[in-house]
Amino acid sequence: MADIRHVEEAGPSWFSSLAPTPDDDPTTPPLADAFARLWRGFMTTRVMLAAALLTIQVSLYNMANAMTLWLVVLCALYLAEASAVRLLAKPRPPGHRFDGQWAVTAAVDLLVFSVLQAAQSANISYTPVFALPVLMVSVLGTAMLAGGTAALATLLLLADALWFSRPGSPGEQAARLLQAGLTGFGLLVVAFLTNQLAVRLAREEATAQRNRKAAQTQLQINEVVIENLSDGVLVVRHDHWVSAANPASHTLIGDNGALPAVPFSLMENPGWFPLVDVVRKTLSTHSNQNVDLDLRAESGQTSSLRVRSCLSPGAGDAGNDLCVLFLQDRREIEARIRTEKLAAMGRVSAAVAHEIRNPLAAISQANALLLEELADTTQRRLASIVQSQSQRLAATVDDILDVVRIDHQDMTYPQPLPLDELVLTICSEWRLSCGLPTILETHLHANGTTVLFRPEHLRRVLVNLLDNAARHGDPTVPIRVVTGQLTGRCELAVWSGGPPLDASVERHLFEPFFSSNSRSSGLGLYICRELSSRYGAGIQYRRRPFDDGGGLVTGNEFCLTMTDPSGRFGAPLQ
């Protein structure tokens, strides 16, 4: 094609079908494949024209013997050449200025047509067939080659008119020259217009292909974004059939996390009727809705959702309205709001803690001195209450300041610590501080494994977990501290008896200032998580059975997973 450099990056061209053919090379770029299709079209046309010319010459020879046999042979050779090029040759994209493949092909066509025109057997004019090489080169070749082919065809027609005009007949010679000149001028105009049209359409095709690729890329990006949204997205038709649903919507409104295959109707499940009402109101009023809903699945699962609806951009066409529903878990929204509020409160609390620490210490000291001087039982009881509450307040202040210190402390790379030895020491100290030696059992199976942890930080994490177990666990079931070695890592777990945590509590276990106990600051597990993450460790809650000798007892367990710098292989956690 002319000016092929403008469309080298384009896909299937305007002159080609999008469907591949058996002759296509899968390794060729789209533009080369499209060029090959058009090349095959012109080559097939040459074969058909050669066959028609041979048929005409053979018919004339048989009927009236009005021509010599060599013209039949010429047409047969032309048919053989055209067929060989169509079957054996491979299309090559044209060059920028001159391309020999089109020069040879056009030269063969012009030579054959000129000989036939010169023969003029049975007064048959072959002038119209000169348009074929001109059109072929104009579309497949360059502008320079197209103009040259049209000019050569014109010169051949003029030479034929001049050579075969009868002497002594100026009128006939002028008429033949005029006819040849007009025909040549027409060929030049056709070559110019065809080439310009080919260039323009090729540029338009290149632009269309770029826009198509951009649209496909944008569509793929949109699909990826929607698929990974934490919000559920449902596209609902006017007849309440869902035509698209992303994975998050399965979790939010599906029964046990499952939805029927798309498309499905919202009318199939009575629990989805509130969504049907939102769709109806959106489509009837042509206004977006923002409501809070509670959906109950057939299994009894309840979903608290915030639903936002909007009409598709093409809404308003009868029967084609689409309503897009955006579903959010209301509990997650509330959790984010609560986290933001608590983060702000935490910053304020840290500042307040610094301010009240010194006055609190003075109050505690004065109360201790006063307690030594009091003899009255009632007054001593009141002073003891002041002392216990001061200690509780001091512990809360310490927790808040610990959070600040965790966020700003200098974390240099720690030295490896023997896990079992350190855990045994911490558990012994905690058992003595509690004064209840029978409530704690240790099951240490780390076998000399070392961990990357500062001893004071591991002590703080383990003590917080033990305090949490003593506060919330079953007092009749011993607390168990278990260590174990896994491939490339080790685990430290604190197990306690008791019922499973409520789902609403479990979801926010490690958030700051969250506690189910009104007398707790809600910072213990948060500090454990923050300290653990500083050393690349992770902490999680799980329900786990434990064999107490009389059978399996299921309880609550907080498990700390740490890196084993030695990289040894050991026994799993028992």
Side-chain angles (χ1 to χ4, degrees), residues 149-488:
T149 303
L152 180 58
T154 302
L155 292 176
L156 290 174
L157 291 174
L158 290 173
D160 174 76
L162 184 62
W163 182 263
F164 290 98
S165 297
R166 284 180 291 181
S169 180
E172 181 183 354
Q173 185 180 31
R176 289 176 67 93
L177 289 175
L178 179 61
Q179 182 180 2
L182 290 175
T183 302
F185 177 76
L187 292 177
L188 288 171
V189 171
V190 168
F192 174 77
L193 294 180
T194 303
N195 184 263
Q196 292 300 309
L197 181 61
V199 171
R200 179 179 179 84
L201 291 179
R203 290 173 179 170
E204 294 294 334
E205 171 66 11
T207 302
Q209 289 297 329
R210 287 194 295 269
N211 293 340
R212 179 182 178 183
K213 291 179 180 178
Q216 289 176 341
T217 301
Q218 187 63 48
L219 179 61
Q220 293 171 352
I221 293 174
N222 292 342
E223 290 177 352
V224 171
V225 171
I226 292 175
E227 289 294 313
N228 291 276
L229 276 177
S230 59
D231 296 347
V233 179
L234 296 177
V235 180
V236 188
R237 303 199 303 255
H238 68 285
D239 55 1
H240 307 126
W241 278 79
V242 176
S243 59
N246 70 336
S249 61
H250 291 239
T251 304
L252 293 174
I253 70 170
D255 196 353
N256 294 320
L259 279 180
V262 174
F264 63 90
S265 175
L266 291 178
M267 304 298 293
E268 296 176 0
N269 191 333
W272 296 335
F273 285 174
L275 295 177
V276 174
D277 293 337
V278 174
V279 173
R280 288 175 176 172
K281 189 171 183 180
T282 302
L283 295 176
S284 62
T285 63
H286 284 78
S287 61
N288 299 340
Q289 305 296 314
N290 194 343
V291 296
D292 291 337
L293 301 176
D294 290 323
L295 305 182
R296 180 175 292 276
E298 294 180 354
S299 61
Q301 176 184 354
T302 302
S303 301
S304 298
L305 303 178
R306 176 161 296 172
V307 181
R308 293 184 295 110
S309 67
C310 64
L311 290 173
S312 65
D317 299 335
N320 293 325
D321 293 348
L322 292 177
C323 178
V324 182
L325 299 180
F326 297 93
L327 313 176
Q328 293 178 289
D329 191 337
R330 199 159 68 236
R331 290 169 296 187
E332 294 296 330
I333 298 175
E334 295 170 353
R336 286 198 296 268
I337 296 174
R338 182 167 59 251
T339 300
E340 293 173 359
K341 290 181 178 179
L342 291 178
M345 291 174 59
R347 291 189 292 270
V348 175
S349 300
V352 173
H354 278 291
E355 295 298 326
I356 67 175
R357 192 173 191 180
N358 290 335
L360 181 61
I363 292 173
S364 298
Q365 185 177 7
N367 184 73
L369 295 175
L370 182 61
L371 188 60
E372 295 177 356
E373 300 295 332
L374 293 176
D376 184 71
T377 302
T378 302
Q379 293 179 345
R380 289 184 63 85
R381 186 169 62 253
L382 294 175
S384 298
I385 293 175
V386 173
Q387 182 181 14
S388 64
Q389 295 302 315
S390 298
Q391 292 173 349
R392 177 188 171 192
L393 185 57
T396 301
V397 171
D398 290 339
D399 285 342
I400 294 173
L401 294 179
D402 279 339
V403 174
V404 177
R405 282 193 286 267
I406 289 174
D407 290 337
H408 297 89
Q409 61 187 321
D410 179 24
M411 294 296 297
T412 57
Y413 203 77
Q415 294 296 321
L417 301 174
L419 180 61
D420 284 352
E421 180 181 337
L422 185 58
V423 168
L424 185 60
T425 301
I426 297 173
C427 289
S428 300
E429 294 174 355
W430 184 83
R431 183 187 289 113
L432 293 176
S433 66
C434 291
L436 298 173
T438 61
I439 69 169
L440 179 63
E441 296 179 2
T442 56
H443 303 264
L444 307 180
H445 307 288
N447 301 325
T449 300
T450 57
V451 295
L452 297 176
F453 234 101
R454 291 185 178 277
E456 63 273 15
H457 290 160
L458 185 59
R459 177 179 286 102
R460 184 61 188 273
V461 171
L462 184 52
V463 168
N464 278 347
L465 295 178
L466 290 172
D467 289 342
N468 189 69
R471 183 182 304 113
H472 301 285
D474 186 347
T476 64
V477 180
I479 299 171
R480 294 176 174 91
V481 178
V482 186
T483 62
Q485 185 180 359
L486 301 172
T487 302

Side-chain angles (χ1 to χ4, degrees), residues 24-224:
D24 292 340
D25 183 356
T27 62
T28 57
L31 182 60
D33 177 71
F35 179 84
R37 297 175 189 278
L38 192 57
W39 179 88
R40 285 191 293 271
F42 275 106
M43 294 305 105
T44 302
T45 302
R46 291 182 75 236
V47 174
M48 295 173 63
L49 179 60
L53 292 175
L54 179 60
T55 301
I56 292 173
Q57 299 303 327
V58 170
S59 299
L60 292 175
Y61 182 79
N62 291 332
M63 287 187 301
N65 198 21
M67 55 173 286
T68 59
L69 183 61
W70 69 271
L71 289 178
V72 177
V73 175
L74 176 65
C75 291
L77 292 176
Y78 179 54
L79 176 60
E81 184 273 341
S83 300
V85 171
R86 173 62 181 86
L87 297 176
L88 303 178
K90 296 295 183 182
R92 291 182 289 115
H96 294 295
R97 294 189 178 277
F98 179 81
D99 199 321
Q101 62 177 332
W102 305 121
V104 173
T105 304
V108 171
D109 289 349
L110 292 177
L111 177 62
V112 173
F113 299 157
S114 299
V115 173
L116 293 176
Q117 177 70 10
Q120 289 282 340
S121 59
N123 292 325
I124 297 176
S125 176
Y126 295 91
T127 302
V129 297
F130 281 86
L132 176 61
V134 174
L135 286 173
M136 180 178 64
V137 175
S138 298
V139 175
L140 299 178
T142 62
M144 178 180 294
L145 190 58
T149 303
L152 180 58
T154 302
L155 292 176
L156 290 174
L157 291 174
L158 290 173
D160 174 76
L162 184 62
W163 182 263
F164 290 98
S165 297
R166 284 180 291 181
S169 180
E172 181 183 354
Q173 185 180 31
R176 289 176 67 93
L177 289 175
L178 179 61
Q179 182 180 2
L182 290 175
T183 302
F185 177 76
L187 292 177
L188 288 171
V189 171
V190 168
F192 174 77
L193 294 180
T194 303
N195 184 263
Q196 292 300 309
L197 181 61
V199 171
R200 179 179 179 84
L201 291 179
R203 290 173 179 170
E204 294 294 334
E205 171 66 11
T207 302
Q209 289 297 329
R210 287 194 295 269
N211 293 340
R212 179 182 178 183
K213 291 179 180 178
Q216 289 176 341
T217 301
Q218 187 63 48
L219 179 61
Q220 293 171 352
I221 293 174
N222 292 342
E223 290 177 352
V224 171

Side-chain angles (χ1 to χ4, degrees), residues 515-566:
S515 176
S516 59
N517 191 331
S518 61
R519 299 180 63 84
S520 173
S521 64
L523 291 172
L525 292 177
Y526 171 75
I527 292 174
C528 291
R529 187 193 66 180
E530 292 299 305
L531 284 174
S532 300
S533 63
R534 291 301 178 94
Y535 299 98
I539 186 170
Q540 61 176 336
Y541 161 79
R542 62 192 181 192
R543 290 284 292 175
R544 181 169 176 265
F546 201 98
D547 189 355
D548 63 353
L552 292 178
V553 178
T554 303
N556 300 310
E557 181 180 83
F558 287 89
C559 182
L560 182 67
T561 304
M562 296 168 285
T563 301
D564 177 9
S566 65

